[in-house]
Amino acid sequence: MKTVFAASAVSAFAMFGNIANAATLDLVSVTENTYQHAQNSPCIISGVNCPQQPGGFDYTVYNNGGNIDTVGAASPTYTVGSLLDLFPGGFAVGVDVNDTNTPQTLAFFTMSVNGGVVDSYMGSTGNVGNNNNGVGFADYLLTGFTSLAGYALTDLVSFAVNWEDLNDGPDSLFLVANEPAPVPLPASALLLLGGVGGLAALRRRKKRV
């Protein structure tokens, strides 16, 4: 089932409450077609159909294509458990932008838990141009989301967005798994590798002699 919702900037801010004390998210530009909506990167708010959406994971479909001054939308409500099942290592949000010659504005984006905003992004005019022309690929990532690991599995999570100066095709937001950090080798493993390398060098020297 898909949910439809739209709001003006004023009503959206009123609906999602005070975000002044929320943790600040970062907007990171993506210059290649790296992140795409897929079964493991489900839409949460989208101006187009998401055909690869995993079963049972709802998303909001809203009209944000064409020349629109302001449009806002809220995602469906998810449980912490359902998000941790998909993203045990946390997630970012892919921002798929479609515009013409004038960059659009991602005015704000929030993540709320049990109705309270915990993470937020507030952007300046023209902050999101179209980097990767094509529906389904992220032009930007919103990063820095609060870990959900400390919440109860039944706690409720929702997202909200407000756009300004829309001027072309529909824009979408979808979840992207955090890339795992490299696991450092323990000191004992490094010593072992150094010892193996030393033995190999010693054997080569003996063969030459």
Side-chain angles (χ1 to χ4, degrees):
M1 177 180 179
K2 299 169 186 151
T3 308
V4 179
F5 172 81
S8 68
V10 174
S11 60
F13 272 111
M15 181 172 295
F16 300 110
N18 182 9
I19 64 175
N21 296 322
T24 301
L25 299 171
D26 295 316
L27 185 69
V28 180
S29 179
V30 178
T31 57
E32 297 179 357
N33 290 345
T34 304
Y35 306 99
Q36 185 179 24
H37 158 66
Q39 284 281 332
N40 59 352
S41 294
C43 289
I44 51 175
I45 302 171
S46 179
V48 295
N49 184 34
C50 295
Q52 298 187 71
Q53 196 76 359
F57 197 94
D58 295 344
Y59 66 100
T60 295
V61 178
Y62 69 123
N63 176 23
N64 72 336
N67 294 321
I68 304 175
D69 290 337
T70 301
V71 62
S75 74
T77 300
Y78 311 104
T79 64
V80 167
S82 68
L83 293 175
L84 287 177
D85 284 344
L86 287 171
F87 305 102
F91 54 80
V93 168
V95 182
D96 178 18
V97 178
N98 288 282
D99 64 28
T100 50
N101 295 325
T102 304
Q104 300 175 168
T105 300
L106 179 60
F108 79 82
F109 184 90
T110 62
M111 182 177 81
S112 298
V113 179
N114 296 329
V117 176
V118 295
D119 295 321
S120 69
Y121 170 81
M122 297 185 68
S124 56
T125 300
N127 60 338
V128 285
N130 188 349
N131 289 335
N132 304 308
N133 192 19
V135 174
F137 288 98
D139 301 89
Y140 301 86
L141 287 181
L142 284 162
T143 64
F145 285 90
T146 297
S147 172
L148 297 177
Y151 290 92
L153 297 180
T154 53
D155 283 346
L156 302 177
V157 180
S158 61
F159 305 91
V161 67
N162 206 85
W163 300 91
E164 296 175 1
D165 311 317
L166 278 72
N167 56 61
D168 193 11
D171 308 299
S172 302
L173 300 114
F174 53 92
L175 300 177
V176 176
N178 284 342
E179 296 180 1
V183 179
L185 288 171
S188 57
L190 292 175
L191 287 173
L192 178 60
L193 288 174
V196 170
L199 287 173
L202 183 60
R203 286 174 181 170
R204 286 194 298 270
R205 182 178 300 173
K206 285 184 177 180
K207 284 181 180 180
R208 287 196 299 268
V209 174

